[in-house]
Amino acid sequence: MPEGDTVYRSATNLNAALAGHTLVRCDIRVPAFATVDLTGQTVDEVVPRGKHILMRIGDHTIHSHLKMEGSWHIYRTGTPWRRPAWQARAILATTDHNVVGFQLGVLDVVNRDDEASVVGYLGPDLLGPDWDADLALQNLQRDPDREVGLALLDQRNLAGLGNVYRAELCFLRGILPTRPVRDVTNLGKVVDLAKRLIEANKDRAERTTTGNLRGQRTWVYGRTGQPCSRCGTPILHGELGDSALQLRDTWWCPNCQT
Ligand SMILES: [Zn+2]
């Protein structure tokens, strides 16, 4: 699942291709919205909100979330698509570009003044104009018994973090992802680091949390069994979730994190 920095970049690119342009095609291939046709309307802007993308077009907003497999592609008119057409959930075209949303995890169309119905539950957005570190900290502390690794992924607390940042933040702060929030001293520093890391990566094509762009880009994420770069202990892998259905992979160093 993409992190907020990936979504930010995707929205920025979509905005550059679409903003100010009139749609010559609008094809939403989701049953509930198949009759929505915004052809002839002008795209005002495309903005990220946490890991969601909002396309503001006239009185409407096309809301999408990439989830596991989704992506928005931008093609110059006349160039072939790089994914099969049957995976397309939305096709928006201007005279210059075809913008195609493939396998989007969430796609709906709402009235623009009703965006809160789809993104209103999100906490402060790490890359948004509303970022509020104090509020994010308060939100995280609301449930002191919860594992910090779960609290960081809960988009109601703060919006934008995914699995990579969850694992990396816990390593960098020396915290086991299973440690309850109440036992994390200096949780504010975790929030500050989250902001710094995601800001540093938002305009990069390749994410790094180590500062290294060529070699090893993560400390623990995806490094099962490999030696910890700090202490040499093999990195462990496990799953963490609020329920058996929501388990997500995580990684940690059993020596550096307590
Ligand atoms: Zn270590």
Side-chain angles (χ1 to χ4, degrees), residues 17-26 28 35-45 55-62 91-95 109-112:
L18 293 176
H21 295 276
T22 300
L23 296 180
V24 298
R25 182 181 180 190
C26 173
I28 309 281
T35 58
V36 172
D37 186 359
L38 304 177
T39 302
Q41 301 205 37
T42 299
V43 180
D44 291 311
E45 58 180 350
M55 297 171 158
R56 293 172 174 154
I57 305 165
D59 293 335
H60 291 87
T61 296
I62 299 176
I91 305 160
L92 304 175
T94 66
T95 49
V109 184
V110 296
N111 285 326
R112 187 147 149 187

Side-chain angles (χ1 to χ4, degrees), residues 1 5 63 80 91 101 104 125 154 159 181 233-234 237 246 252:
M1 194 176 289
D5 49 9
H63 160 244
I91 305 160
L104 302 169
D125 181 355
D154 188 332
V181 165
T233 305
H237 163 258
Q246 297 175 313
W252 67 95

Side-chain angles (χ1 to χ4, degrees), residues 129-157:
D130 70 328
W131 173 242
D132 181 337
D134 292 334
L135 180 57
L137 181 59
Q138 282 173 36
N139 291 344
L140 287 166
Q141 288 169 329
R142 265 188 313 212
D143 188 353
D145 294 329
R146 200 170 189 202
E147 294 92 331
V148 67
L150 294 178
L152 288 170
L153 275 196
D154 188 332
Q155 305 296 302
R156 293 170 298 184
N157 291 334

